[in-house]
């Protein structure tokens, strides 16, 4: 939402300043970029496939292995918007951790397991990490300015669906587990 809001503000400013061609070109570029992205069919849920495919491409570009097992039904137990926010924030954090691992010459891997059962979504994301992860009351925290909003979004969505969420670091791996 943050990035989209900024992008829409840019387009609005173009239109407000009668720079119609600039706005049209920008929209065209976005559409072309979206069409060129390879969407991998991981599961029946298109929203999940779009997010997973996007992060798989980013991981591959960084030389990071990303493995996806299981999948989600066409109609997940949460809205597509919430699913996109949840997956994007969790995978962004996992990818950033793995990029740091690669820079330090350590192995980097992301493993995603997801399935639906009895109208519940079960999701686990495991990624390589170092020992810099800090927790407060079982929640990962950061002192970096402008960071930490992803975890807050994950927790808000978990609460919205009266689900359960846990974070854990063990043996150079970070685990995010959700049941919604």
């Amino acid at each position: 939402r943050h990035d989209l809001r900024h992008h829409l503000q840019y387009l609005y400013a173009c239109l407000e300043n009668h720079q119609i061609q600039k706005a049209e070109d920008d929209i065209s570029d976005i559409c072309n970029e979206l069409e060129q992205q390879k969407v991998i069919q991981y599961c029946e849920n298109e929203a999940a496939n779009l997010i997973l495919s996007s992060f798989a491409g980013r991981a591959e570009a960084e030389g990071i292995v990303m493995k996806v097992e299981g999948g989600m039904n066409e109609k997940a137990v949460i809205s597509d918007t919430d699913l996109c926010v949840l997956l994007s924030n969790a995978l962004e954090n996992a990818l950033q951790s793995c990029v740091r691992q690669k820079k330090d010459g350590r192995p980097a891997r992301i493993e995603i397991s997801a399935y639906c059962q009895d109208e519940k979504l079960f999701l686990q994301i495991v990624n390589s990490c170092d020992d810099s992860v800090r927790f407060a009351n079982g929640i990962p925290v950061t002192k970096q300015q402008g960071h930490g909003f992803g975890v807050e979004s994950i927790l808000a969505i978990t609460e919205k669906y009266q689900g359960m969420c846990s974070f854990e670091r063990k043996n150079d791996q970070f685990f995010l587990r959700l049941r919604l």
Side-chain angles (χ1 to χ4, degrees):
R1 269 190 293 188
H2 175 78
D3 293 338
L4 180 60
R5 182 176 61 243
H6 287 294
H7 201 85
L8 290 173
Q9 286 172 340
Y10 168 75
L11 288 173
Y12 184 77
C14 288
L15 295 173
E16 194 173 53
N17 292 310
H18 307 290
Q19 297 174 330
I20 306 302
Q21 189 60 50
K22 205 179 236 187
E24 287 175 350
D25 291 345
D26 195 53
I27 292 168
S28 178
D29 289 346
I30 291 169
C31 290
N32 288 333
E33 191 176 304
L34 288 172
E35 286 177 23
Q36 291 174 5
Q37 287 183 348
K38 178 175 65 172
V39 177
I40 300 168
Q41 296 299 313
Y42 292 103
C43 60
E44 297 173 11
N45 187 290
E46 284 303 310
N49 288 332
L50 289 168
I51 299 299
L52 292 168
S53 294
S54 174
F55 277 92
R58 290 175 59 190
E60 183 179 10
E62 294 285 349
I64 297 165
V65 174
M66 186 172 125
K67 180 180 171 190
V68 180
E69 288 185 6
M72 288 169 249
N73 299 337
E74 184 176 351
K75 290 286 184 193
V77 294
I78 66 174
S79 73
D80 284 347
T81 302
D82 288 339
L83 181 61
C84 289
V85 169
L86 179 74
L87 285 174
S88 294
N89 281 300
L91 291 173
E92 183 67 37
N93 290 344
L95 186 61
Q96 287 176 2
S97 177
C98 286
V99 166
R100 287 190 301 273
Q101 292 290 103
K102 290 287 285 187
K103 284 182 182 174
D104 292 340
R106 292 188 291 247
R109 182 176 181 89
I110 301 171
E111 296 179 6
I112 302 146
S113 304
Y115 65 94
C116 294
Q117 183 179 340
D118 300 326
E119 296 188 27
K120 296 285 184 196
L121 169 64
F122 297 88
L123 175 68
Q124 175 176 276
I125 299 176
V126 181
N127 60 273
S128 307
C129 73
D130 58 25
D131 61 359
S132 68
V133 178
R134 300 290 176 248
F135 292 87
N137 300 317
I139 308 298
V141 293
T142 182
K143 292 183 180 183
Q144 289 183 303
Q145 188 71 17
H147 291 271
F149 298 112
V151 169
E152 289 178 17
S153 292
I154 291 167
L155 292 171
I157 290 169
T158 302
E159 184 177 322
K160 177 180 177 179
Y161 291 93
Q162 300 172 358
M164 296 175 66
C165 177
S166 70
F167 304 91
E168 178 184 19
R169 184 191 172 280
K170 186 167 111 179
N171 300 329
D172 296 326
Q173 292 185 310
F174 184 87
F175 294 80
L176 166 60
R177 294 180 186 102
L178 287 159
R179 181 187 61 120
L180 301 176

